[in-house]
Amino acid sequence: MTAGEGEPVRVLLVDDQELVRSGLRRILRRRDGFVITGECGDGADVPAALAAAEADVVVMDLRMKHVDGIEATRRLRRAGRRPPVLALTTFDDDELLAGALRAGAVGYILKDSSAEELIRAVRAVAAGDAWLDAAVTARVLTTYRRAAVDGPAGVPPNLLTPRELDVLRAAGRGLTNAEIAAALVVSELTVKSHLSRIFAKLGLRDRAAAVVYAFDHGIVSPRTVRPPVESIVDDAPPVPVREPEPAPGLRFSVLGPLRAWRGGTPLDLGPVRQQALLAALLLRVGATVSQSELLRDVWGLEPPGTGLRVLPVYVHKLRKCLRGPGERTPDSVIGHTRGGYRLAADGVRTDVARLAELDADAGAAEEAGDLEAAVASCASALSLFHGEPLAGLPGPFADGQRLRLTERRSTLWTRKARLQLRLGHAAEAADELAAVLALEPLREPLAVLLMRALQATGRRAEAIAVYGRIRDRLAQDLGVEPGDELRRTHRAVLDDVVHRDFLGSP
């Protein structure tokens, strides 16, 4: 079981040194999206800890006195336990790390890595990625493959489609699903769908085995592992992975957990109520919001006992963390008047503003007849989302904005798929829509487009199955029947089956 969009990553820490566990707790903080669900001092205690509290990732030390990390990982796999294991070790030992991979760990990180690297590794593993330290990957895989039993290593890579080969190449280089999606201009769901088919076609156990396969077949070479900025597709211009740019001023992200940077430096925005207050100002940037309105936005019908007095305290703390070097004026970022508080618009960039720009670009390109450019703009807009908007923030304002932005994402998915079908890219649209509909099973417009895409690629039985699934979900969850467009699409697919399979029509 893994963390859902917007939920904190639940982590089980396994290390025989309390000092190390204490350090890990300080790095994997709740405010950064992590929850420590348990701790163990030995690998023997892991099953009991997981029975007491589920985890999304197990951070596992390899050298412990009684049951070491390799054996504990092997036992988890034999028991069918699903939390992925991220191996943690002081030792840059090829055989030790290869043994962890053979036992079933999905990656490893050295204890002398930075805190930022550990955070990225845990998040990547929780999202279903592998994490292999670039400095030692090639050597470790050489050792790993000597005893690997991951399926038919001789299966030729020409079984893969060109797009699947691109994804395998990227995974072999150590890129995460999010990085692959950004470079290929597709969604993370599409990347996951491609990886599942790659594993099935090549008979591979997991992502680590896929990396070994990519090395063994020359799809990647040691020098191309985790390049800083490199194209995934051969002979294509480099496509940088989207990260906050070290530009002057403040940059905010709300299309996921609320985050902020000044230049390239991430900012600590404090507790969730304080963040909810910032969001209420940020999404009205440049406008003055009254104190009573802010109180309702963040606390709803249950205001704090301190009433309006809590707002100046939170605003003071937000000013301190948002104010730039040399800015002495207390209200240089968040101003105060008799009417309330106002977040200054100057020097502030938000991903939601960029979303609006890309949405407008897509509309203009479609109107001009440049459908390829419109699809690219939609894909760029969708890549701005990193989970549930304003994930974890309380209050009526955050709830309303979450719903609005989620609907906007669904509209973008729909527009992109319609454009892809008009371009004749039905197979690509079907792959992405199937993954999206798995997360949004009641979205009838998406189901209609998926059925049409499957029909266009000759997968009519799959299209009929899509209708059956959404019909059952609508009846079970909402007590309603499918809408007119969905029923018409279903009838069109059935007619197609009759004409093609029974009457022999072309």
Side-chain angles (χ1 to χ4, degrees):
M1 183 174 182
T2 58
E5 286 192 353
E7 297 177 3
V9 176
R10 302 167 297 180
V11 183
L12 173 65
L13 301 179
V14 186
D15 195 292
D16 59 356
Q17 298 181 45
E18 165 59 28
L19 189 62
V20 173
R21 298 200 305 272
S22 175
L24 293 173
R25 286 196 302 270
R26 290 177 179 272
I27 294 171
L28 303 174
R29 303 176 298 178
R30 180 177 287 273
R31 68 179 59 176
D32 293 320
F34 301 96
V35 173
I36 305 302
T37 60
E39 298 183 27
C40 301
D42 190 78
D45 302 327
V46 172
L50 288 174
E54 291 186 348
D56 302 308
V57 178
V58 179
V59 178
M60 181 89 75
D61 184 29
L62 294 184
R63 294 284 180 92
M64 291 180 285
K65 293 181 180 178
H66 301 293
V67 175
D68 63 26
I70 293 176
E71 178 58 26
T73 302
R74 187 178 294 115
R75 291 179 183 180
L76 282 180
R77 283 195 63 87
R78 287 174 179 168
R81 300 302 295 265
R82 299 312 304 163
V85 173
L86 177 69
L88 179 69
T89 182
T90 307
F91 305 96
D92 180 1
D93 182 316
D94 296 353
E95 183 58 47
L96 185 70
L97 296 175
L101 294 180
R102 286 196 295 268
V106 298
Y108 54 82
I109 187 167
L110 305 182
K111 287 185 180 178
D112 60 2
S113 301
S114 67
E116 292 77 11
E117 192 79 357
L118 174 64
I119 287 173
R120 287 197 295 272
V122 174
R123 284 180 176 157
V125 169
D129 295 317
W131 190 269
L132 306 177
D133 191 300
V136 292
T137 292
R139 300 196 325 269
V140 170
L141 292 180
T142 298
T143 305
Y144 171 88
R145 71 169 62 90
R146 292 176 192 152
V149 286
D150 297 302
V155 175
N158 59 13
L159 283 179
L160 305 180
T161 67
R163 180 60 87 185
E164 288 167 350
L165 196 59
D166 291 339
V167 171
L168 177 59
R169 182 181 297 111
R173 292 176 179 177
L175 274 66
T176 66
N177 287 352
E179 291 169 336
I180 298 171
L184 295 180
V185 197
V186 297
S187 72
E188 289 186 50
L189 294 169
T190 301
V191 173
K192 291 178 181 179
S193 178
H194 282 310
L195 284 170
S196 295
R197 285 198 296 275
I198 290 168
F199 295 163
K201 284 183 177 182
L202 302 182
L204 301 175
R205 183 187 69 190
D206 53 25
R207 200 181 186 108
V211 174
V212 175
Y213 182 92
F215 271 74
D216 282 344
H217 290 83
I219 296 169
V220 294
S221 59
R223 64 181 179 82
T224 64
V225 177
R226 285 200 71 82
V229 176
E230 183 174 353
S231 168
I232 291 176
V233 184
D234 289 342
D235 303 322
V239 181
V241 175
R242 182 177 52 79
E243 292 287 348
E245 298 176 1
L250 289 165
R251 181 179 183 275
F252 295 93
S253 173
V254 302
L255 301 175
L258 179 61
R259 294 181 294 170
W261 300 265
R262 180 170 285 281
T265 304
L267 304 178
D268 184 348
L269 300 176
V272 291
R273 293 284 182 185
Q274 184 171 301
Q275 293 184 38
L277 174 61
L278 173 60
L281 293 170
L282 179 63
L283 291 172
R284 302 182 180 107
V285 64
T288 298
V289 188
S290 71
Q291 294 188 55
S292 59
E293 188 173 4
L294 287 171
L295 205 62
R296 289 194 301 271
D297 286 346
V298 178
W299 283 274
L301 299 177
E302 298 180 356
T306 52
L308 290 174
R309 286 175 294 172
V310 72
L311 293 178
V313 175
Y314 279 169
V315 168
H316 172 73
K317 292 179 178 179
L318 286 171
R319 284 170 175 164
K320 286 181 65 177
C321 72
L322 297 178
R323 193 162 49 206
E327 292 182 0
R328 298 181 180 179
T329 308
D331 59 357
S332 57
V333 178
I334 301 177
H336 179 235
T337 67
R338 283 188 175 183
Y341 292 101
R342 172 181 176 272
L343 183 69
D346 295 341
V348 170
R349 296 176 298 148
T350 65
D351 56 356
V352 75
R354 180 59 179 153
L355 179 70
E357 292 172 359
L358 290 166
D359 198 2
D361 290 346
E366 183 178 1
E367 188 174 347
D370 190 348
L371 302 189
E372 292 282 5
V375 168
S377 292
C378 287
S380 296
L382 287 166
S383 73
L384 295 173
F385 287 87
H386 286 276
E388 184 182 53
L390 298 172
L393 294 194
F397 181 83
D399 289 342
Q401 292 298 313
R402 214 167 5 247
L403 179 61
R404 180 181 69 85
L405 292 168
T406 299
E407 289 294 330
R408 193 162 187 178
R409 178 172 58 179
S410 180
T411 300
L412 278 166
W413 274 328
T414 302
R415 170 185 266 182
K416 181 185 176 188
R418 289 188 189 280
L419 292 168
Q420 288 173 315
L421 289 177
R422 288 174 62 186
L423 285 165
H425 299 165
E428 186 176 339
D431 286 343
E432 185 161 349
L433 285 167
V436 171
L437 203 61
L439 292 181
E440 301 277 356
L442 299 178
R443 298 280 184 183
E444 290 191 54
L446 295 175
V448 166
L449 291 168
L450 175 56
M451 291 173 67
R452 290 175 180 170
L454 291 170
Q455 181 185 15
T457 56
R459 297 151 68 184
R460 298 184 295 280
E462 293 179 51
I464 294 171
V466 169
Y467 178 81
R469 286 195 299 270
I470 191 169
R471 179 198 58 205
D472 293 345
R473 287 297 299 267
L474 287 169
Q476 178 182 342
D477 295 356
L478 303 178
V480 299
E481 292 292 323
D484 290 342
E485 188 177 12
L486 190 56
R487 289 201 302 270
R488 284 196 300 268
T489 304
H490 179 234
R491 173 53 58 188
V493 176
L494 290 176
D495 290 344
D496 192 19
V497 170
V498 171
H499 283 292
R500 289 175 179 270
D501 294 348
F502 294 97
L503 301 181
S505 298

